[in-house]
Amino acid sequence: MSKILNAIFLIYFITHIPATMLLDSQAILPSSYYPQAVKDAIQYHIKEFKDPLMNNPPFWFKSFIVVECLFQLPYFFVATYAFMTGIKKAKWIRIPTIIYAAHVSTTVIPIIAHVALTDFSNASFGPKTDRERYTLIAIYMPYLLIPIMLLFYMIGLQFDEPKSKSKQQ
């Protein structure tokens, strides 16, 4: 089970690097920074999934993206290295990962709550049907569930401690 979780976490971090750099960051940086194909990809997401947060990002959402770009993005590289090396060899990643996972979990909850609870029926943009709303929630849900899994995995992780000489005798 541990190898499967490690693979899931590794894939999560590896894929999160381009997602942050090319997609999420478009909520806060000028469009002139991106090639047309990347701008088209985010426009496809916005139109196909009726994502009001990426269409017209509110200030609170932009603040989450700033933190993602400044703090989480560098962590993704470090975490990728640690999970590629193996957690048993990279014990130092435990505390940063607990901090990351707790932080991300608490930022994705308001995003999902906004999509789930906001009345978009009279809004100019957003999910209008339950199916559209559930689809958009499903897109954001892995960014809640995987960090929660990661948090509990790291909290419960036990490293073999070397036996002291007094216990060996």
Side-chain angles (χ1 to χ4, degrees):
M1 180 67 158
S2 169
K3 287 184 180 186
I4 294 170
L5 283 176
N6 282 337
I8 290 169
F9 299 147
L10 179 60
I11 292 166
Y12 172 82
F13 291 124
I14 289 171
T15 60
H16 222 303
I17 293 168
T20 298
M21 292 174 67
L22 300 174
L23 302 174
D24 296 353
S25 64
Q26 288 189 55
I28 59 169
L29 296 175
S31 64
S32 61
Y33 287 17
Y34 302 94
Q36 190 60 47
V38 174
K39 292 189 274 191
D40 292 346
I42 202 67
Q43 286 306 311
Y44 171 81
H45 165 82
I46 290 168
K47 289 177 182 158
E48 182 68 22
F49 302 110
K50 315 281 191 292
D51 190 339
L53 295 171
M54 289 303 289
N55 183 55
N56 187 16
F59 183 77
W60 64 266
F61 183 74
K62 287 181 180 183
S63 71
F64 290 172
I65 302 299
V66 167
V67 171
E68 180 180 356
C69 291
L70 293 179
F71 298 106
Q72 294 176 28
L73 182 59
Y75 168 78
F76 297 150
F77 288 96
V78 173
T80 297
Y81 171 79
F83 279 87
M84 287 178 89
T85 302
I87 294 302
K88 300 289 184 184
K89 294 178 185 172
K91 296 176 185 177
W92 48 267
I93 197 68
R94 184 172 185 238
I95 298 301
T97 300
I98 289 170
I99 293 166
Y100 163 79
H103 165 72
V104 169
S105 300
T106 59
T107 61
V108 176
I109 289 170
I111 291 169
I112 291 174
H114 178 77
V115 172
L117 303 174
T118 300
D119 180 7
F120 293 105
S121 60
N122 294 321
S124 61
F125 193 83
K128 303 289 187 204
T129 67
D130 286 344
R131 182 177 183 182
E132 291 171 346
R133 188 180 302 267
Y134 297 147
T135 300
L136 187 54
I137 290 169
I139 289 168
Y140 282 109
M141 194 59 76
Y143 301 100
L144 173 63
L145 297 179
I146 292 174
I148 288 173
M149 289 170 38
L150 186 60
L151 177 65
F152 285 110
Y153 177 74
M154 285 294 173
I155 288 172
L157 194 59
Q158 302 266 326
F159 295 111
D160 295 332
E161 296 295 327
K163 294 180 184 176
S164 67
K165 289 183 180 183
S166 62
K167 289 183 181 179
Q168 289 176 348
Q169 296 175 356

